[in-house]
Amino acid sequence: MVKIWKNGMQLSNRPTILVDGGIHAREWISPAVVLNFINFLKTNPAAVNLVDEFQWFVIPVLNPDGYVYTHTTDRLWRKNRKQSQVNSNCFGTDLNRNFGYQWDPLQTASNDPCSLVYRGPTPFSEKESIALRDVMLQQGQTYTSYISFHSYGQYYLYPWLHADQLTADWIDLDDCAKAATAAIFGYKRKRYQAGAGGSLLYQASGTSGDYAKAEANIKYAYTIELRDTGRKGFLLSHRQIIPTWEENRDGIIALVDCLVQKNDLIK
Ligand code: 0X9
Ligand code: ZN
């Protein structure tokens, strides 16, 4: 995890934004966008506002074993690589079904180790999800937002992801998601849809986004599905890396503007 803060200003109680990529191994555009984002925060004068307002904790690849496996063996691998049960021929848990909030419901995850959406033997059975949970629950750390990059579909999703239901404060999350998707559209006319994951798409239990919202108390929890809408899917051309990064750079800038405005309203 990379921590980025303004010179001399690191204080544990400064508002922080937690970003991750690569929870799912085959979604290569996600670590690529997150790495570009780190570079931007560190080197680009246009990022000074982002670093003035927030500390940034950034995890480029949450699932490194799976990511390597998509390079060496199976391009479309999704889960991590731990053997799920002794004597099972199947490997890997879907890290985005392994978080300890609404882990139980079986309609929206699987207890079959061979499934693509295997939830694991218990909540937080995996080192990768434990590591992210521990960052979220770090004593004294105040997170304004959690942003998790996936692909594909072009969506800005907020909780709940496990059910076709809204949170009490969904309107705040919707405002900022719409600010972001409007900025993305303003950049080069790519359409990303904003909405609650479980209502807009399908329902998914044990996700990091719902855990961040429900258990880690991070108000602005977003799961972003990057390009494309299905033409190339996970096998996006390398030519799409920079354009995808650039539109999402503008999306995040607008998102952060919105978060700052919302915070000022509370003060
Ligand atoms: O299913 C997932 O874990 C995420 N989609 S992906 O294609 N990247 O695997 C989305 C989870 C949240 N979205 C919904 N509840 N629909
Ligand atoms: Zn994903």
Side-chain angles (χ1 to χ4, degrees), residues 131-149:
L132 182 55
R133 175 195 66 189
D134 290 351
V135 170
M136 286 183 185
L137 301 183
Q138 224 163 78
Q139 270 296 320
Q141 202 68 57
T142 41
Y143 295 104
T144 305
S145 178
Y146 165 65
I147 304 170
S148 188
F149 284 100

Side-chain angles (χ1 to χ4, degrees), residues 57-88:
F57 290 2
V58 188
I59 305 170
V61 189
L62 193 78
N63 175 11
D65 296 339
Y67 189 63
V68 167
Y69 195 72
T70 60
H71 287 74
T72 58
T73 314
D74 178 356
R75 175 65 186 83
L76 289 178
W77 192 257
R78 165 180 169 95
K79 304 185 282 182
N80 73 355
R81 287 295 306 158
K82 196 180 82 182
Q83 190 172 27
S84 356
Q85 283 169 15
V86 217
N87 298 329
S88 166

